[in-house]
Amino acid sequence: MWLKPEEVLLKNALKLWVLERSNQYFVLQRRRGYGEEGGGGLAGLLVGTLDAVLDSTSKVAPFRILHQTPDSQVYWSIACGASREEITEHWDWLENNVMNTLSVFDSNEDITSFVQGKIRGLIAEEGKGSFVKEEDPEKFREGLMKFERCFGLPEQEKLVTYYSCSYWKGRVPCQGWLYLSTNFLSFYSFLLGAEIKLIISWDEISKLEKTSNVILTESIHVCFRGEDHYFSMFLHINETFLLMEQLANYAVRRLFDKETFENDLVLHDPLQITKRGLESRAHSEQFSAFFRLPKEETLKEVHECFLWVPFTHYNTHGKMCISENYICFASQDGSLCSVIIPLREVIGVDKADPANRGVSISTKGKRAFRFTEVKDFEQLVTKLQIKCNATSNPQHIISTEVATSSASDSPKDFDELSSKMGQRDNSKTVSTEALMTVYHPQDAENLDSKMLKEKMKEQSWNILFVERGHGVSMFRTKKTRDLVVRGIPEALRGELWLLFSGAVNDMASNPGYYPELVEKSLGTCTLATDEIERDLRRSLPEHPAFQSDTGISALRRVLTAYAYRNPQIGYCQAMNILTSVLLLYAKEEEAFWLLVAVCERMLPDYFNRRIIGALVDQAVFEELIRVHLPQLTDHMTDMTFFSSVSLSWFLTLFISVLPIESAVNVVDCFFYDGIKAILQLGLAVLEYNMEKLLTCKDDAEAVTVLNRFFDSVTNKDSPLPPAVQQGASLSDTKSDHPKVDITDLIRESNERYGDIRYEDVESMRCRNRLYVIQTLEATTKQNVLRVVSQDVKFSPSDLDELYDLFKKEHFLSCYWNVNSPVLRHHDASLPYLEQYRIDCQQFRVLCHLLSPWSHCANRDSLALWTFRLMDESSDGLINFKQFACVLDTMYNGSFTDKLKFLFKLHIPPAFTEVESLSPSKGGDLSKEELIHFSQLSGKGKVDIQAYLKQWQDELLKKEENIRDLPRMNQSQFIQFSKTLYNLFHGDPEEELLYRAIAVVTSLLLKMEEVGRRLQGPMSPVKSPVAITEVSAESLQKGPEEGSSKQTEGGRAQSLKGNHEWSFAFEQILASLLNEPAFVRFFEKPQEIKAKIESAKNLQLKARTRV
């Protein structure tokens, strides 16, 4: 490899390097100890250790070329090589292309400049822009070379970054280098002759966390296949951990969560992933999640500054975050002040108070935001002015009216403005009023005590709007949260849900989207729409709004439109309950965008087929219980109780367990604080019932305690009529349980658990996501092994390891191929057996590694025919059960089973004529040839009736009758004989087995001739006895010499006459049973354990070779 020229002081290097060649201008050296017997003794060991610890290039490249100028002590390193062949190639190139040119220069400086320029040109040509995105291209290039040499992974494996660290092997730290690539975490160390090489695939990590103990102040803990690995002594441990978390999450989403990954264009191509890109992505995700912005927003700039807060008359310190369409601010001084300014609302950006580096931003709501102490404020003003000019175009005029209003605007004005988008041409189909305003209109004249309290709440919010602004760019402070905790007034609930969730931004960016979606989706008939129709009447059935066609129709339109928008999610139970509550307080279009915000941003992966998001948050909840309620965890023997009882809490935001008038207060807090509000309330509920739960003897008793508690929760300030309130009907029947007001419960949850930070929750989500995924995978594995173990004779441990190899091969095909057919077919909703399947190419790799017949000369053909035999559905994929059953036949089958299996391989639909396009490869097939032959039509697609019959036969365990097998024709028989010879090659009884083949072949052909003579007069066809000579001659010459003649012989016997000879399986079986050598060979016990151990070590290398 050519290196960027760097100075080397030769005097200090002589003890570490040995001279190999030299001329007037160049020196070729070898690292001391390399290539010497015994490793160069103690000096070689010390040099090797020094190279590993100091990250010396020479550890991987023990040869180098230096450029020298006469009479100078300074040399320049210009090339290095991992092998003598590589460095010799570079040396020869220099002698042929550079040496003759150097003699024309007059000075040493000119010679050196010319050589340096030439080498830099070669490096630039080699790179071709591959490393341009890296911060230090030259250093990264060297790191990449070491990574490739140390681990031997395929070239497509993209190195992201690498760090110096210590790996703890027991209690001994080993200094080395940690390499993070798209699919693997790799570590390399070399100390005093002891080499440590570790390769961990991201998709098999079940735990990734930062830890600290007495010995290790701070380290990164990785749990891989049940084994713990610790890495420490990082220079920037937080940066390293963030990248590791990102890469692990990327692998998990790509391989296990395909439905959400497919929409992620940024990570879809592994070759485009860089360290800088991952860091930027992590910050953008945190930014958009914190401020509830659309997921597409990318964080562009962050500035530390002060924001003038007019209602408190002081500057609050924090960070200004700028993306394509938003300017956001979050305080960092404990005042909990945040602001979101959409650029569509900005009407002016100016310099203010240059002495304090101020920036003033004016919005359409007649408000001005003043930021001071902004670094490079003049450049920032210019950028923002350009952005605002680009944003302010006609298409935003209507949408901005929805998003904001002036400080003096009333909620009524807001409602009138936001309804404009929903009306348009689809006013007949889309409801423009919240259901609550239709079914429970407020009587302004007759105000009872509850309504007076409601009006006081509204007045408090109106005062807040006057002070802090009204609309999307209002100041959000601690006072805002306090008002939310008390419960949002009924009249403002829909508007504020829209603001706090960020749904207002989605709605403003997509005017007219929902009515068009309704028009497209209505009338469609899918599985999702069938499920929606089934659940419509189950959504808040006690509420009058959903006892009429108005509410039911609105619910149908919203759910159907969302299923049409997001077919990956479609419809999931619990969505109907949540949407029905949204429709009570928000207009139909607003309810749709609120549902989008919940499903796609605030509760990610909750409503997919495996509800992974809900399971992750349950794991976070369990972790918080251990921290905050340790006495409860000590009492509970099984923490899964909390998971089972809390699932509905998370999926429905407590709506399914609390009375509706109380549940809406929980939804208020959720839209303001996100999942943190649900976690806090869950902890408060458990703490409130702590004493009773500690006395419970079993889970059923604990569930009863919690259900009674939820029934006793009331909302004494709710203005809803008694007929609608669910808690009202229970007030008399369950008076033994003291009433709990929801406002008090929420306030208590904030006071006790309000210190749980958003950042900590997100970190716990990331950490537990890996654990949840691996738990689901373990469940899948247990179910598959339970089914397969009934049909095979392998031990449970062998079957377990075979499954791991099978699944690993599935993933290896996905690592470096973006459009892998296996990945396209992976679907977590399928039955367990069908979730992981492999194609013909992957099956060949596993056959070579595991089959007892992998030494065959025609092993590729055998793998192909075996795959075609198993691929009953003709879709080019097989599952683990089919794979395990084939191996079981090879290793544990009887003589008859193995022979029947080989017989079926040589007749259709498995058998097909195979001939490699490259004669030099012999029996080996290229990947393209293998796929081509595997897809040849040996059988048609199995129709549904045939599939049902096959399924029924399998249930009845119908034993296959050997008489039902079709007969084998002459060309197939000759190939069958050749395969048998190949199987016996290298066996101790090879000669005896060969003679047995010849005897059996002759006998079968003579029997066929006799049978034909008995049937009728001799046909003009050439006698089968003559074919005996051809077949025997082919076999005597062996597969190498006889293969061509054998093929010709087979084809020559495909005669034009009407009588072609063939054999039944019973004839072949009876003939072979008479040969003891045959029986001994096939009944010889075969042990798969050694093959499995070898395959575990060679699987990755086999993939590299392919």
Side-chain angles (χ1 to χ4, degrees), residues 568-591:
Q568 280 83 15
I569 291 178
Y571 170 76
C572 177
Q573 281 191 333
M575 287 172 69
N576 61 319
I577 298 172
L578 176 60
T579 307
S580 57
V581 173
L582 298 178
L583 282 166
L584 288 177
Y585 294 98
K587 296 164 192 168
E588 190 177 318
E589 182 173 9
E590 293 172 351

Side-chain angles (χ1 to χ4, degrees), residues 151-424:
F151 302 105
L153 295 170
E155 291 180 3
Q156 302 98 312
E157 181 64 14
K158 174 77 164 60
L159 177 65
V160 177
T161 189
Y162 61 100
Y163 299 96
S164 170
C165 71
S166 291
Y167 169 65
W168 289 79
K169 196 171 183 181
R171 295 191 174 184
V172 180
C174 303
Q175 185 66 27
W177 291 87
L178 182 73
Y179 296 87
L180 307 181
S181 57
T182 48
N183 298 296
F184 299 99
L185 177 157
S186 312
F187 177 83
Y188 184 84
S189 173
F190 181 88
L191 291 170
L192 299 176
E195 184 180 59
I196 297 175
K197 193 181 290 186
L198 194 67
I199 301 178
I200 296 174
S201 52
W202 295 114
D203 57 84
E204 292 186 86
I205 292 177
S206 58
K207 187 178 286 187
L208 179 63
E209 60 184 354
K210 281 193 294 185
T211 59
S212 59
N213 54 37
V214 178
I215 300 174
L216 302 175
T217 53
E218 211 170 15
S219 64
I220 295 175
H221 171 211
V222 177
C223 184
F224 169 71
R225 292 182 181 173
E227 295 181 2
D228 294 317
H229 304 274
Y230 292 89
F231 302 90
S232 65
M233 305 293 287
F234 290 97
L235 193 59
H236 304 290
I237 191 167
N238 291 330
E239 173 196 294
T240 308
F241 182 73
L242 176 66
L243 278 173
M244 291 170 75
E245 211 170 47
Q246 288 278 102
L247 286 166
N249 184 50
Y250 158 76
V252 163
R253 288 177 62 191
R254 181 167 182 233
L255 301 172
F256 297 109
D257 195 12
K258 181 171 69 79
E259 56 196 39
T260 57
F261 182 86
E262 284 177 343
N263 297 324
D264 196 333
L265 300 176
V266 179
L267 293 181
H268 200 58
D269 185 358
L271 296 177
Q272 300 304 315
I273 295 177
T274 62
K275 175 187 172 186
R276 189 184 303 172
L278 283 173
E279 288 173 344
S280 171
R281 181 182 177 82
H283 294 144
S284 293
E285 286 174 349
Q286 291 171 2
F287 162 72
S288 57
F290 182 83
F291 291 106
R292 308 278 165 73
L293 301 178
K295 292 170 77 172
E296 301 77 32
E297 288 299 310
T298 304
L299 182 62
K300 298 296 185 183
E301 296 179 56
V302 178
H303 298 273
E304 277 204 33
C305 62
F306 290 87
L307 172 64
W308 173 252
V309 184
F311 47 88
T312 57
H313 303 289
Y314 77 94
N315 285 307
T316 180
H317 177 254
K319 288 185 176 178
M320 181 202 297
C321 305
I322 302 171
S323 67
E324 294 96 331
N325 301 298
Y326 298 88
I327 302 168
C328 303
F329 176 87
S331 64
Q332 293 183 301
D333 56 6
S335 63
L336 302 178
C337 175
S338 65
V339 174
I340 301 169
I341 310 170
L343 290 180
R344 63 176 182 266
E345 300 295 319
V346 177
I347 57 174
V349 180
D350 303 293
K351 287 184 243 180
D353 192 9
N356 291 318
R357 295 178 293 178
V359 177
S360 176
I361 299 175
S362 306
T363 65
K364 293 175 183 175
K366 299 179 183 176
R367 300 189 69 86
F369 299 89
R370 192 177 73 193
F371 300 90
T372 53
E373 300 302 324
V374 182
K375 188 179 179 182
D376 299 327
F377 76 104
E378 292 180 344
Q379 294 179 12
L380 179 62
V381 168
T382 306
K383 286 181 191 174
L384 290 178
Q385 286 173 343
I386 295 170
K387 273 180 176 282
C388 293
N389 292 334
T391 308
S392 58
N393 55 55
Q395 71 178 21
H396 289 274
I397 292 174
I398 294 178
S399 61
T400 53
E401 292 175 349
V402 180
T404 188
S405 56
S406 68
S408 60
D409 286 343
S410 68
K412 185 179 176 184
D413 298 329
F414 182 94
D415 291 342
E416 289 174 359
L417 291 168
S418 60
S419 67
K420 288 182 182 179
M421 292 162 59
Q423 289 170 355
R424 298 194 182 258

Side-chain angles (χ1 to χ4, degrees), residues 3-206:
L3 300 176
K4 180 183 176 182
E6 289 184 357
E7 284 190 14
V8 175
L9 195 59
L10 194 61
K11 183 179 179 181
N12 296 333
L14 285 174
K15 295 177 182 177
L16 302 177
W17 293 90
V18 178
L19 183 67
E20 292 268 312
R21 292 191 196 180
S22 67
N23 58 36
Q24 187 178 0
Y25 298 108
F26 300 103
V27 175
L28 192 157
Q29 297 177 332
R30 172 178 52 81
R31 193 68 165 175
R32 187 175 295 280
Y34 181 82
E36 299 176 16
E37 291 186 11
L42 181 60
L45 280 178
L46 291 173
V47 169
T49 302
L50 188 68
D51 290 340
V53 173
L54 299 180
D55 186 33
S56 170
T57 305
S58 54
K59 173 60 197 167
V60 184
F63 295 94
R64 71 175 182 180
I65 297 175
L66 304 179
H67 164 60
Q68 65 176 347
T69 50
D71 306 324
S72 172
Q73 287 294 318
V74 177
Y75 286 63
W76 298 84
S77 64
I78 59 171
C80 66
S83 64
R84 195 178 295 276
E85 292 75 19
E86 183 185 358
I87 204 70
T88 302
E89 185 181 337
H90 285 354
W91 179 267
D92 293 342
W93 188 90
L94 288 170
E95 285 193 331
N96 296 330
N97 296 279
V98 179
M99 279 292 294
N100 296 333
T101 311
L102 297 182
S103 57
V104 304
F105 293 100
D106 296 329
S107 66
N108 292 339
E109 290 79 9
D110 291 343
I111 292 173
T112 302
S113 297
F114 176 78
V115 171
Q116 289 179 356
K118 197 73 175 173
I119 299 303
R120 287 194 177 97
L122 289 171
I123 292 172
E125 182 64 28
E126 267 185 4
K128 293 182 181 177
S130 305
F131 314 107
V132 174
K133 295 179 181 177
E134 307 301 334
E135 293 174 2
D136 187 347
E138 189 59 36
K139 187 178 178 184
F140 187 83
R141 185 168 173 267
E142 291 183 19
L144 178 61
M145 181 194 72
K146 295 171 201 170
F147 171 70
E148 290 174 345
R149 300 292 186 192
C150 285
F151 302 105
L153 295 170
E155 291 180 3
Q156 302 98 312
E157 181 64 14
K158 174 77 164 60
L159 177 65
V160 177
T161 189
Y162 61 100
Y163 299 96
S164 170
C165 71
S166 291
Y167 169 65
W168 289 79
K169 196 171 183 181
R171 295 191 174 184
V172 180
C174 303
Q175 185 66 27
W177 291 87
L178 182 73
Y179 296 87
L180 307 181
S181 57
T182 48
N183 298 296
F184 299 99
L185 177 157
S186 312
F187 177 83
Y188 184 84
S189 173
F190 181 88
L191 291 170
L192 299 176
E195 184 180 59
I196 297 175
K197 193 181 290 186
L198 194 67
I199 301 178
I200 296 174
S201 52
W202 295 114
D203 57 84
E204 292 186 86
I205 292 177
S206 58

Side-chain angles (χ1 to χ4, degrees), residues 103 130 243 248 287 289 368 407 426 543 576 610 679 766 773 848 995 1077:
S103 57
S130 305
L243 278 173
F287 162 72
N426 301 80
H543 198 286
N576 61 319
R610 297 200 288 178
L679 293 168
C766 283
I773 290 285
H848 290 181
R995 287 178 190 156

